[in-house]
Every structure is written in structure tokens, then in C-alpha cells.
Amino acid sequence: MPSHQPWYHNNITRSKAEDLLSKAARDGSFLIRDSESVQGAYALCVLYQNCVYTYRILPNEDKKLSVQASEGVPIRFFAMLPELVEAYYNPNMGLVTHLQYPVQREEEVEEEPEPNSHPPQLPPRNFMADAKESESKTSEQATKSLSDMYLMRLQHIDLSTLSEEHQMAVQEYVRTSIFLDAEQAQNGNPNLPGLKKLITAVCKNLNSEISRILPALELFHRTLDQQLSPGIGPKQILADSGQSVSYRLEQLTKLLYSIEEKVQAPHAKSSVFEAVGYDGGHRKSLIPIVSFEVKQESLGISTKMVLKVDVESGKLYFKKSKDGPEDKYYVHNKILQLVKSQKMHAKLVIVLETEKEKILRKEFVFDDTKKREGFCQLLQQMKTKHSEKPEPDMITVFVGTWNMGNAGPPSNIDSWFHCKGLGKTRDDTADHIPHDVYVIGTQEDPLSDREWSDTLKNVLRKITNISFKQVAIHTLWSIRIIVLAKPEHENRISHVFSDSVKTGIANTLGNKGAVGVSFMFNGTSFGFVNSHLTSGSEKKIRRNQNYVNILRFLNLGDKKLNPFDITHRFTHLLWLGDLNYRVELPSSEAENIVTKIKQQQYQELLSKDQLSIEKNEGKVFLHFEEEEITFPPTYRFERDTREKYAYTKAKATGTKYNLPSWCDRVLRKSYPLVHVVCQAYGCTNDIMTSDHSPVFASFEVGVASQFVSKQDLNSAPQGGIQIMNCVAILLTKSKTRFFIEFHSSCLEKTVKTSEGENTEQCDRSIKVWFGNKVELTPIISDPEYLLDQHILICVKSTDCDESYGEGCVALRAAQFCYRDFQITLTHHGEKTGTLTGGIQLRTSEFKPTEKLYDFIKIERDDAAPSKGKGGDKSSVAQAHDISNPSYMGVSFKSGGATDRGWSYSMAPKNVPGGAQGGRESKKPSYDLSIRSPTAMNYTASEDEKLSEMLDNPLYGSMVKSHGQAKDQGHPQPDILTPTPDGDCDRPPLPMPRNRSFTSSENRAQPQLPISLYPPGHKKPVVPSRSDGGLVQNRPPLPSKSRPEPQAPKPRDYRDTSEFPGKQRVPTRPGPLLPNKDTHPEFPKTGRPVN
């Protein structure tokens, strides 16, 4: 078998193979690895003159193996890999040099078995295993032994509470039928006739009772629904009495829950109580009325007021005192916007519409930031509840991770799901707001799937009055993930997949590893991974490898996206679990660490956090994000207390130190330009059965609906997506040719470009020019649909069809005009290069639908306040420079920006044409970090340098404007995110590798459905511009100088294009000609193309 050969390296990556060969440093060194593109194929990697040559080994129909070598060399077939390798030790076989020195596999450091490195003990089901321990034991003896064991157990149980009939039935089953049922289970037969007979006998009266009760409950249930179906009635239920008792009990339980929900739920008013004129005033609400004491600033005078939020009725009351009468109230549709102040974290502006359709701005100051956040969440919940939209465009997701320490949970774990404890927590006023989706990951979980699922459902039912539906559950040994969702979302969730990967000793034990679940929520894909990585402070490298193996082999999401790993398959990927990264300090510092924790001085400890260090160096979780940690280390506590860390453990080899560390984490990675906000990230401090504390995180996430176009598909113009001027810089010296694949659910099919033109660079990388323009045809041309879509990009080699890097581009970036983009290419979690280019949409004019997550904005510190109360309703969003920065995928942390792996250039400052052009040119440069993509009017300052494109321009300004902002409910002057040495904002460049050559000369050319410009044309295409194309989307003039309203000029996205940079293309009349072969004499600016 190949696995026993020293030169066979199994499924190592291409880059790892190059590294191993470069260390060998001898011509003729070789190894064989699995092919990344063809299942069952191999790749032969040979070192010659400091270059790596790669040859494909492919099986034919008869499973015979052959090497794709140089032309003119006869093809030879081999039955086994060792036979093939032996033959190619001979010279003149078509390789660059004959094989000489096999490169052996790196020996993995053997891990010492942990106490929990054995599969969890399951209830005794496989009775046949005991029966087969001795070959001499006959089946009759096994039957007698099994029966005797359970009869003995029955003797130690008090059966006096059972009727004589039931006692006899149970004893008869143990004596005569239990072994037969065990044999059925051993053979995989789910039918257990003996057990079925026993349950039928014991539940005889229960069955008849169900038949008597069920019709009455069904009748009452249909009465609440106010719909009568003539074909459904008591007779049908009685006819179903032959079904199993367990099924009928489940049916009965569901019916009781449904009736309870219909009577208690808010919409019951219209179905149950409306007929008798009940107004619901004394009805128990799902979300109770909440009051907030605030201060209102008016003419320099501060006045105390009370804001009362009634989510159920959809009203916001203004009161002068808590017990006084309501002065005035506004209905939900008259509350237009909430504007948070950056400068004062407790300040909020409420934009209201008066009875005369005038705009009123009221400024309030809350007691603290948490109160303001709780108020905003309640108002947002009110808008959601009373929205007229058929589908939600925003949901909330709870993510929890807990290493249970092989101990059952305590009786009360409510604080975990309320996001209460330490760190960034939710305010008490938000306790009754349920999340839409709950994702819970556990490690060292001793419970069964059913026990844990029932426990979680009961807790959520108690704190939310909602019976959540189980979407999926998956368990690997004692690692488990479960997803629960509101019943109303049951039909919105589809394409559910789950999988697991073992990373224990030799990657064969499941005590360490990961479980994952993925699904679609309408048009948005979600992936969740719960992992338990290798423990031990010194095993950081092993943990890194665990991460890579999980990333490569966890099989979730759309199977059509085969070239992409799970970091690119989902709109939102959340990774949780006991990652086991430690604080890397000597054990002698244990007492000092505990002292700093008690003083809440986390900065120095976080600067030594292994995960943060490895992540900043690009070794793991590349482009993942984590909310700032403001809670103490969650490991390792003494059980039954949170006051003392147990950082020593006595072992046979001596004392082992487990320094307090942030082992339990939640990270996320999302597509560019999507809305996602972390509302909470912390740990509980009252759940103490384990040596770990549970960790919670809460996210507000924008979702796309299953789109139904409002346009007539027959008359609507055909839209298009143009991607042009693509240039890749790949961190390899392969002599193969490359092409690009474009994948997206919005495309009719996967699109491939023609081969690019390679140029070797002096820094040992390779530059590939892919022509001028590619036209992609979407399945739906409606711009509202397209703006929610993303294009996945994969750079592949033509020889071996293996990926050299993947990335993602958001169509929203080109909402108003042409945009330059730069994305980091990654493969198997490692940076492999960059790709630059431009994107433009060709579609019809449309008015964007307001999203619920645009209801809350953030006001610029330097925004000029509006004078006077009045205003035009249409100017609410434009009156100030406000936006939702999280919608842009922008966050801020002390210490610098976060590299997301993508950037979009800003538009030129001086845009030709437009009624407001003269005034607009005097406006100072616009801070991109605080403008929502729903109004993407990007401008750049005159002195912007092209070299800044190497960094992400979306983050620079956010650091300046938000650097001191901390959205916490209490001041924490000593809790700061550490700033590692050096520039942590820029991802580190990998060390140059040896040149790699893929030498398959007799390769077949791929089909080229896309016609590109000849590679000889090096100048990029310059699309045309239309006059005044951006007038409608310019930022407004100040209110005093705003001209009289004019009918806006219709906007045609097909005729609009913008170039970032200082050099502007002269205006040309006429629409953009997609296939016009135009080559200007100057290069397009934004990113220099050499």
C-alpha cells in the first residue's frame, strides 16, 4: 500500500510539498502526494536545479496508473505506485530528471493519550459483542446470560407500583424476547418486535385514551385557526389509531404546544379574541413593555424623560415621569430612524414623522451605552414584528460554546442564552427578545443527543415562550453541535448538511476534531463549525494543523463549489469551540497571571494569546474576525466556583501547568459588504459544573430573500456583470498556464476565462494577466437581486486543474459605477497571492428597497446638526453623514485595522456632469468607513496614493474616527486589545518558495466559453461614461443652500462607469459597448499594473 512507502505523503498540500523538497535541496529528490483536483489521482513532485516539477499520475478505466510526462515518451502503465516509482528511478523516462532521493514524511509528535481519548460510553445496545467474546459460548448460553442479568436487575427494583399485568409483561420480555431484539439491532434492523409487543401491552389503556382525547384537541385547534377542512375530523384521527404509541404521543404533545402558542402568541388577538372585542391590554405579552429613563437636551437645558417601548402594540411613548401620563406616542411606521452618536456613546437621535409629514429629530442621553443598545434592539424588534415585508431581511443568531468537562449541566443555565455574565453582554431590557437561530457547540459532553436537545428546548421554551424547532444535530464522540430555529423559519431553512472530521491521535480518534452544520436561510448560506483542538500549551503547531485538516476535509455546503474550502462556501461562517490556544507565558508567571485577571488587566495577557499571535501571522484563521475580548480567561477553573483558577495538575510525569487561558472562542468570516454586527461576546459566571465557563456571542445578520422579481422577465432588459483587467500575483513559480473560474448561484453556469499570460517577478512570484473583459450572464437581471450576490473566483492551472487561490467579490461594490477591487487569494487557509481587477454591473434603473438593518445608523462626529425641526421626509437618510459601518464589514479595535482580504477603490473626486457638480467639488473628502453601501457615494482625497491600495481603504478612516469608541456598558480603561509588535494590519507575506513546474506537456486544452482580448494587448479597456450618470446619487447639499427640487434624470447603470484615481477619462457619448476593443495610451489608475 502507498501509505507504507516513505515517499508517499498522503494528502499534504502543494505548498507543503514544495517546502519539503526545498529542504531536501538535492536534484532528484521526490515525493508523491494526492491530487487536489482528481479523486484517486496522484501528483509526482520532483526537485531539479532548485525548481519543483509536478507530474500528474492518473488512473485509467482499468485502474492502471500512468505518468503524464514529456511528449514522445511512450506511456507506460503500472498496477501499483511502488512499481511506478521503481521504473522511474531509471533515466530517460520523460521526467526532467530520474528519481533518486525519496523525501520522507515528517514525523508527527506523538501525543500522550488523554483521559477522555476513548469513545464515550454508550448505553448497552450491542449485546452480541459480549456474546462473541468466547467462541465456545453458544447463543443459548448468551441468551440465558443476558436474560439473567436483566432479571437480576429487576429483583433490585421496587415493582410494587406496577400492576400485576405490567409486571408479568416486563418479566416475560426479559426472559424470552430481549435477546431477539438485540440480535435484530445488531443486524441493523430497526424493527424490534418484542419491544413493540411490550409497549403495546403496557400502553393499551393509554392508546385508547389518546384516541378519546385527540379528536377534542384537534377540534379546538382548528377552531383557533378559524378554518375547517371537511376532509379532516375525528373519524380520520380514530382511523390512525393503529400508529405507534410513541408517534401518537408526539402528535399529542405537538398539538398541545401548538394550542398553547396560539392562545399566548401575539397574533392570537386576531384569531381568538378579536370576535369578542378584546384589545389585548391585559394579555401576557411575549415581550413586556419596557421603560427607559433618559435626558433630553433642548436649548441647552437637560430635562428628564421616560421612553416606554411597547413592542407588541408597535408604539413608542414619551412621558415626563415614570408614573405620569403618556404625553405622546408614535406608531412604529412613524419612527423613521435611530442615529447613534459616536462621540457620546449614550446619546441617541430618534427621527420621527409628525402628523403633518414633517421630520422631527429628538435627542436623548441614556444612562449608559448598554441601555441605549437595549433600546435600539427593542425598537428594531418592533419594526421587525410589524413589518409588512413577507420575508425578513435581518435575523439574530446566538452562538454558544461550552466544554462541559464530562459533567451534566446545572439546573439553571438561563444566563448563557440571555448573554449575561462578563464581557460584552446584553442589557436586561433585551432579555425577552428571542434570537431567530440558536447554535450551541459542546465538547466533553456526557449527554445523549436526545437529552441535550430536550434540555435546550426546555430552557428556550422557559425564557422565550417559544417551542424551537431542531434544524440539525451532529455528534463526534463527545463533540456536539445543535441548531435550533424559531418555528416560523422552518420553511425558510433548507439544504441542511452536517459532517465531522477526526483530528485525534493519528487523525483517527474522535476525542479531538470538529463537527459542522450548514444550511440556507432563504438566499443566504450559513456554516457553523464546532471544534475541539489538541490540548497543551506546547502543542500550538499541532493545533494549527488540526485547523487546516478541518478546513480541508469538513464537507459542508454546496457540493458544486468543490474547488473552494469552507471559508469561501458560505455568506457567513462561524467557528466556535474549545480551540485550546493558551496564554504563552512561563509557568512561573502563574500567580502574576491570576493577579492581572483579578485586576481586569487583560492587555498583557492577550498580547501573549497564542491564537491572536498565530492569526496575526497568517498561520490560522486567515481573514477571520473576533470581537474584542473583554472577559477573563474561561479555563481552567476549580469546579463549583469561578473565584479560583486550578492551573496545576498532578500527573505521573510531574506537575503539569494549565495557565488561565482564553481556550473557548467564537470567530466569524463573512463575504464582503454584508451586514453583520456582534451584539454580545462574553462568558457566564454562574455556571460552574465544568472547569470551563460557557461562552456566548450574539450576531445581527442581514439575509437575502428567495427573490421574486417585480419586473416582467420577458420585457426586462438582459443584465450583465463585467469583470475586467484581472491581474493575479501568485506566490509560486509554476510554469503551467492559469485560467480563472467564476462561480455564483446568480450565474447560469460556471464561467472560465482563457489562459492568462505569465510574467516572472523578481520576488520569486509570478504575475498573470487575464485579458481585458469577461461578461457574466446572471439568471435574474433585477438589480435588487444582483446587489445581494457575490462572485467566487478561483485561479486554476490548466495542466492539473488544481486551485492556486480563491477569493470573493461583492456585486454591491459596483452598485453605482465601475469599481476596482483587490482580493487576497487563499488556498487551504494559506495566502497564495492577490488578484486585482474591476467590476461593473449592466442593469436597469431601480429604487433600492430599504433594509431593516438601515433603520439604525451611526452619526459622524463632525456632522453638522440640523437647524430647525422641519424637513422633507425623503431627506431623512441624507440630512447627516450617517451610516451603518458594520454593513460595510468594517469594525474597529484599538491598535489598528483588521485585514479582511478584500478592498474596493474609491471613486474619483471630480465626477463630470450633474446639476450639483459645481458645489460638490468643494466638499471635503468623504470618510468611506461611515457610509452605507446602500448609498455608496465614494470619493477620495486628492493626495491619495496608489500604494495605499495594498492596504484595505475601508478601514483606515474607521481607526481614526472610532479608535476610542468601545461599545460597552461600563468603562474599562485597563482592558485594551493588545497591539503586537510591527504592523499587524498587513498580513505577513509568506517566505518565497522554490520554483515549481507542472510539466504535463501533452495536456488537453480546456473548453473556453469566454472570448478574451489577445494577450498581446497589455493596456486595460476604458469603458465609456455617460453625462450626469451620478447626479441622482450625490450627497445632498446643506439644507440652507439646497436648490428647489428638480425631476432627477433617469439613471442607466449600463451607461455608467467610474475609475478610481486622479486621472479621469474624457466623457464620451453613447452607451458602454461591452465588446469594443478600445486600448487607451495611458494605464488605468487605482492599482498600478506593471
Side-chain angles (χ1 to χ4, degrees):
M1 293 296 293
S3 58
H4 299 303
Q5 301 297 331
W7 37 257
Y8 178 61
H9 290 244
N10 204 342
N11 49 30
I12 65 168
T13 63
R14 183 189 62 254
S15 59
K16 182 65 176 177
E18 293 180 7
D19 291 340
L20 290 175
L21 288 168
S22 65
K23 291 177 182 178
R26 290 196 293 180
D27 287 354
S29 298
F30 73 97
L31 60 83
I32 293 179
R33 60 175 174 84
D34 292 344
S35 170
E36 295 182 358
S37 58
V38 180
Q39 188 173 5
Y42 304 95
L44 172 61
C45 305
V46 184
L47 184 69
Y48 181 66
Q49 294 184 355
N50 207 30
C51 302
V52 177
Y53 293 76
T54 303
Y55 303 88
R56 298 176 76 185
I57 301 176
L58 298 175
N60 62 8
E61 296 178 354
D62 299 327
K63 306 297 184 183
K64 299 285 187 178
L65 301 174
S66 63
V67 177
Q68 287 187 323
S70 303
E71 292 184 1
V73 178
I75 299 178
R76 297 182 57 182
F77 293 93
F78 305 89
M80 302 290 290
L81 269 180
E83 181 184 348
L84 181 149
V85 170
E86 188 66 29
Y88 279 87
Y89 270 106
N90 300 314
N92 303 321
M93 293 290 291
L95 305 183
V96 64
T97 183
H98 61 284
L99 306 184
Q100 299 180 61
Y101 311 107
V103 176
Q104 300 197 12
R105 302 177 62 169
E106 289 186 334
E107 293 185 5
E108 296 185 0
V109 179
E110 291 192 9
E111 301 178 53
E112 59 182 61
E114 299 180 14
N116 60 339
S117 62
H118 301 287
Q121 295 296 319
L122 300 177
R125 294 182 58 193
N126 188 1
F127 304 110
M128 289 298 295
D130 295 333
K132 293 182 179 179
E133 287 182 2
S134 173
E135 295 181 2
S136 62
K137 183 180 277 188
T138 63
S139 61
E140 291 80 5
Q141 291 174 326
T143 302
K144 187 175 185 302
S145 174
L146 191 63
S147 299
D148 290 344
M149 180 179 67
Y150 281 98
L151 285 172
M152 187 178 299
R153 289 185 182 181
L154 285 175
Q155 292 176 4
H156 292 84
I157 298 176
D158 183 12
L159 303 179
S160 60
T161 56
L162 300 183
S163 67
E164 185 178 350
E165 179 184 3
H166 288 172
Q167 289 185 33
M168 294 179 62
V170 172
Q171 291 171 354
E172 181 66 20
Y173 173 73
V174 170
R175 273 196 298 265
T176 62
S177 302
I178 190 171
F179 184 80
L180 296 176
D181 282 352
E183 194 172 35
Q184 293 281 342
Q186 176 71 15
N187 295 331
N189 190 345
N191 296 321
L192 306 177
L195 181 61
K196 187 175 181 181
K197 181 180 178 182
L198 173 64
I199 292 177
T200 302
V202 172
C203 301
K204 179 173 59 177
N205 295 333
L206 176 62
N207 207 9
S208 61
E209 192 69 13
I210 292 176
S211 298
R212 188 176 68 85
I213 293 174
L214 208 54
L217 292 176
E218 179 69 23
L219 182 66
F220 181 53
H221 184 265
R222 290 191 292 120
T223 302
L224 295 180
D225 275 344
Q226 291 188 348
Q227 58 183 11
L228 293 176
S229 302
I232 302 177
K235 290 185 178 180
Q236 182 175 348
I237 295 174
L238 289 173
D240 292 340
S241 60
Q243 295 172 332
S244 68
V245 178
S246 58
Y247 174 81
R248 303 191 73 211
L249 278 173
E250 183 181 5
Q251 186 182 17
L252 177 63
T253 305
K254 287 182 178 179
L255 193 56
L256 287 171
Y257 280 140
S258 178
I259 291 173
E260 182 180 336
E261 288 173 7
K262 287 182 182 299
V263 175
Q264 289 184 350
H267 63 262
K269 173 184 173 182
S270 61
S271 60
V272 179
F273 303 107
E274 192 177 51
V276 295
Y278 181 70
D279 63 357
H282 300 285
R283 174 173 52 85
K284 179 184 176 182
S285 299
L286 185 64
I287 299 179
I289 297 174
V290 182
S291 297
F292 295 84
E293 294 183 357
V294 296
K295 293 179 181 179
Q296 183 178 20
E297 302 288 340
S298 178
L299 300 176
I301 301 175
S302 179
T303 307
K304 289 186 177 181
M305 287 193 67
V306 174
L307 302 181
K308 189 173 75 171
V309 182
D310 188 346
V311 173
E312 303 302 328
S313 66
K315 295 177 182 178
L316 173 63
Y317 295 89
F318 294 84
K319 301 169 60 176
K320 290 184 178 178
S321 63
K322 189 171 184 179
D323 301 323
E326 286 91 0
D327 294 341
K328 191 174 183 63
Y329 72 84
Y330 289 87
V331 186
H332 60 91
N333 57 358
K334 299 297 182 181
I335 308 170
L336 304 182
Q337 205 160 72
L338 303 181
V339 184
K340 297 178 182 178
S341 169
Q342 291 180 12
K343 203 169 190 179
M344 298 178 60
H345 296 164
K347 180 181 174 182
L348 182 72
V349 176
I350 305 177
V351 184
L352 304 161
E353 180 186 354
T354 65
E355 297 174 355
K356 298 180 180 180
E357 295 192 354
K358 295 294 183 179
I359 303 305
L360 187 65
R361 300 179 78 253
K362 289 182 174 287
E363 296 185 1
F364 301 98
V365 178
F366 289 75
D367 291 342
D368 53 45
T369 310
K370 287 179 69 174
K371 292 295 181 187
R372 185 186 74 172
E373 293 305 308
F375 177 84
C376 291
Q377 290 176 29
L378 284 169
L379 265 290
Q380 204 159 38
Q381 182 73 11
M382 178 195 296
K383 299 287 280 188
T384 302
K385 182 177 286 292
H386 298 281
S387 173
E388 297 179 355
K389 296 180 180 180
E391 294 295 327
D393 54 31
M394 187 194 76
I395 62 173
T396 56
V397 179
F398 172 90
V399 177
T401 175
W402 183 23
N403 185 318
M404 300 175 68
N406 292 306
S411 58
N412 189 338
I413 56 174
D414 296 0
S415 61
W416 193 17
F417 302 97
H418 279 314
C419 297
K420 292 295 183 60
L422 305 173
K424 184 176 181 179
T425 59
R426 294 214 300 180
D427 188 61
D428 293 343
T429 55
D431 279 355
H432 296 277
I433 302 178
H435 291 79
D436 294 276
V437 177
Y438 288 82
V439 181
I440 298 95
T442 51
Q443 310 85 37
E444 299 183 19
D445 186 341
L447 304 183
S448 67
D449 284 0
R450 183 66 177 270
E451 288 175 318
W452 186 232
S453 175
D454 290 345
T455 299
L456 296 177
K457 289 179 181 178
N458 291 336
V459 171
L460 294 179
R461 188 182 301 117
K462 178 178 68 173
I463 65 178
T464 67
N465 286 333
I466 298 175
S467 296
F468 277 78
K469 301 290 185 181
Q470 180 174 303
V471 176
I473 187 168
H474 197 95
T475 303
L476 172 68
W477 287 27
S478 59
I479 308 171
R480 177 177 293 119
I481 187 170
I482 181 172
V483 179
L484 303 170
K486 283 183 178 178
E488 64 202 61
H489 298 320
E490 192 170 12
N491 294 328
R492 297 178 176 127
I493 294 176
S494 62
H495 299 81
V496 180
F497 297 100
S498 65
D499 193 25
S500 62
V501 172
K502 298 176 182 177
T503 63
I505 298 175
N507 290 332
T508 58
L509 297 185
N511 62 310
K512 295 295 187 289
V515 290
V517 170
S518 66
F519 57 83
M520 295 289 297
F521 188 101
N522 282 345
T524 300
S525 56
F526 286 88
F528 301 93
V529 179
N530 170 32
S531 63
H532 191 189
L533 306 186
T534 299
S535 62
S537 177
E538 71 284 358
K539 295 178 182 175
K540 174 178 60 178
I541 296 176
R542 175 68 181 174
R543 281 188 283 276
N544 294 353
Q545 188 58 49
N546 289 167
Y547 163 77
V548 173
N549 289 341
I550 295 167
L551 184 145
R552 293 180 63 189
F553 303 121
L554 197 63
N555 191 10
L556 298 173
D558 188 353
K559 300 303 184 286
K560 295 178 183 177
L561 299 178
N562 203 33
F564 304 89
D565 59 44
I566 57 174
T567 63
H568 289 103
R569 290 191 180 190
F570 307 107
T571 313
H572 304 283
L573 173 65
L574 289 104
W575 197 303
L576 55 140
D578 180 1
L579 306 185
N580 255 322
Y581 286 94
R582 309 300 176 91
V583 172
E584 198 160 354
L585 287 171
S587 57
S588 58
E589 293 291 319
E591 288 296 333
N592 291 335
I593 292 173
V594 173
T595 301
K596 289 183 180 295
I597 293 171
K598 289 180 179 179
Q599 297 173 350
Q600 296 187 7
Q601 296 180 359
Y602 303 148
Q603 180 179 4
E604 184 178 348
L605 301 183
L606 284 168
S607 69
K608 299 297 183 180
D609 172 56
Q610 289 178 340
L611 178 56
S612 300
I613 295 172
E614 297 298 289
K615 183 175 176 296
N616 290 337
E617 293 178 358
K619 296 179 180 179
V620 291
F621 293 101
L622 185 64
H623 303 145
F624 276 77
E625 297 174 64
E626 182 181 24
E627 185 71 5
E628 183 181 359
I629 293 177
T630 57
F631 53 91
T634 56
Y635 175 79
R636 178 179 186 252
F637 289 101
E638 280 194 4
R639 297 180 190 245
D640 301 322
T641 180
R642 297 296 92 159
E643 300 297 326
K644 185 176 181 181
Y645 285 96
Y647 52 81
T648 60
K649 180 191 291 187
K651 305 194 75 173
T653 55
T655 301
K656 180 179 180 181
Y657 281 81
N658 288 296
L659 298 181
S661 300
W662 287 274
C663 292
D664 310 284
R665 312 286 273 269
V666 178
L667 300 96
R668 68 170 180 87
K669 185 177 186 292
S670 299
Y671 283 170
L673 302 185
V674 294
H675 176 81
V676 55
V677 178
C678 182
Q679 296 178 327
Y681 188 38
C683 67
T684 65
N685 58 354
D686 61 347
I687 301 176
M688 300 176 287
T689 53
S690 171
D691 51 3
H692 291 251
S693 287
V695 169
F696 53 77
S698 174
F699 297 94
E700 176 187 290
V701 182
V703 292
S705 62
Q706 294 285 7
F707 190 78
V708 178
S709 179
K710 301 174 184 177
Q711 301 178 351
D712 183 356
L713 296 179
N714 296 324
S715 60
Q718 177 62 53
I721 305 166
Q722 295 177 346
I723 298 181
M724 55 198 78
N725 308 319
C726 288
V727 177
I729 305 294
L730 302 177
L731 303 179
T732 183
K733 282 287 187 176
S734 174
K735 292 240 174 168
T736 183
R737 310 288 285 188
F738 298 95
F739 66 95
I740 296 179
E741 276 187 354
F742 299 97
H743 297 251
S744 178
S745 58
C746 73
L747 300 180
E748 294 179 344
K749 59 182 179 180
T750 299
V751 179
K752 298 181 181 180
T753 68
S754 57
E755 292 183 0
E757 181 177 322
N758 298 358
T759 305
E760 293 187 9
Q761 304 294 292
C762 58
D763 61 352
R764 304 185 64 82
S765 64
I766 185 168
K767 181 177 181 179
V768 189
W769 169 263
F770 289 103
N772 291 343
K773 189 184 302 180
V774 178
E775 184 82 18
L776 308 179
T777 304
I779 55 176
I780 299 176
S781 299
D782 193 305
E784 190 171 349
Y785 163 79
L786 288 178
L787 292 183
D788 284 330
Q789 306 305 311
H790 294 79
I791 304 295
L792 293 176
I793 296 177
C794 180
V795 179
K796 286 187 168 184
S797 66
T798 55
D799 283 335
C800 56
D801 201 44
E802 290 185 338
S803 172
Y804 277 67
E806 305 100 49
C808 178
V809 174
L811 296 188
R812 186 173 292 277
Q815 176 175 357
F816 297 110
C817 56
Y818 171 94
R819 293 288 172 206
D820 272 336
F821 65 81
Q822 173 178 305
I823 58 176
T824 300
L825 297 175
T826 65
H827 186 58
H828 296 328
E830 178 187 13
K831 179 177 178 180
T832 58
T834 58
L835 179 73
T836 59
I839 184 170
Q840 180 168 341
L841 294 182
R842 190 179 69 250
T843 183
S844 59
E845 181 184 2
F846 81 110
K847 180 181 179 181
T849 302
E850 184 180 356
K851 303 289 188 180
L852 178 61
Y853 40 76
D854 289 328
F855 172 62
I856 300 177
K857 302 286 186 178
I858 295 180
E859 185 173 24
R860 292 187 63 171
D861 291 340
D862 57 351
S866 176
K867 302 239 177 130
K869 297 181 180 180
D872 183 7
K873 181 178 178 180
S874 63
S875 65
V876 173
Q878 288 83 15
H880 297 271
D881 284 333
I882 54 182
S883 81
N884 186 344
S886 296
Y887 186 74
M888 295 293 298
V890 176
S891 65
F892 53 90
K893 298 181 181 179
S894 59
T898 303
D899 174 32
R900 300 278 181 110
W902 52 265
S903 64
Y904 299 97
S905 68
M906 295 177 282
K909 177 179 176 183
N910 298 320
V911 181
Q916 301 176 7
R919 296 180 184 270
E920 184 71 9
S921 62
K922 298 179 182 180
K923 188 175 180 68
S925 62
Y926 189 71
D927 187 354
L928 177 62
S929 66
I930 54 161
R931 169 66 67 179
S932 169
T934 54
M936 253 174 150
N937 303 4
Y938 301 160
T939 58
S941 57
E942 296 267 352
D943 58 348
E944 177 186 350
K945 296 181 180 180
L946 298 178
S947 62
E948 291 178 356
M949 284 294 295
L950 295 173
D951 293 316
N952 194 333
L954 292 177
Y955 311 130
S957 56
M958 178 58 70
V959 175
K960 298 175 185 177
S961 59
H962 296 298
Q964 303 301 321
K966 291 285 175 270
D967 204 10
Q968 302 292 323
H970 52 286
Q972 299 184 4
D974 296 328
I975 303 177
L976 301 174
T977 304
T979 305
D981 294 338
D983 185 4
C984 63
D985 300 337
R986 189 188 303 274
L989 290 176
M991 295 296 293
R993 301 193 191 96
N994 285 324
R995 300 176 59 187
S996 173
F997 298 87
T998 304
S999 304
S1000 176
E1001 302 291 345
N1002 52 350
R1003 61 185 181 273
Q1005 296 295 331
Q1007 187 177 358
L1008 304 175
I1010 294 302
S1011 174
L1012 297 180
Y1013 294 103
H1017 296 284
K1018 290 285 186 166
K1019 300 295 183 182
V1021 170
V1022 180
S1024 64
R1025 299 181 51 85
S1026 60
D1027 292 334
L1030 296 175
V1031 173
Q1032 192 173 348
N1033 297 286
R1034 288 180 177 279
L1037 295 173
S1039 57
K1040 285 188 175 181
S1041 60
R1042 189 177 292 120
E1044 293 297 323
Q1046 299 179 4
K1049 181 177 179 180
R1051 176 176 177 77
D1052 189 349
Y1053 286 80
R1054 294 170 294 178
D1055 300 344
T1056 305
S1057 167
E1058 263 185 55
F1059 290 83
K1062 292 180 280 190
Q1063 197 164 8
R1064 183 161 44 85
V1065 183
T1067 303
R1068 293 189 299 173
L1072 177 68
L1073 301 177
N1075 295 318
K1076 181 86 173 166
D1077 189 4
T1078 306
H1079 300 278
E1081 296 302 320
F1082 53 87
K1084 180 171 64 62
T1085 58
R1087 165 114 187 180
V1089 178
N1090 299 327

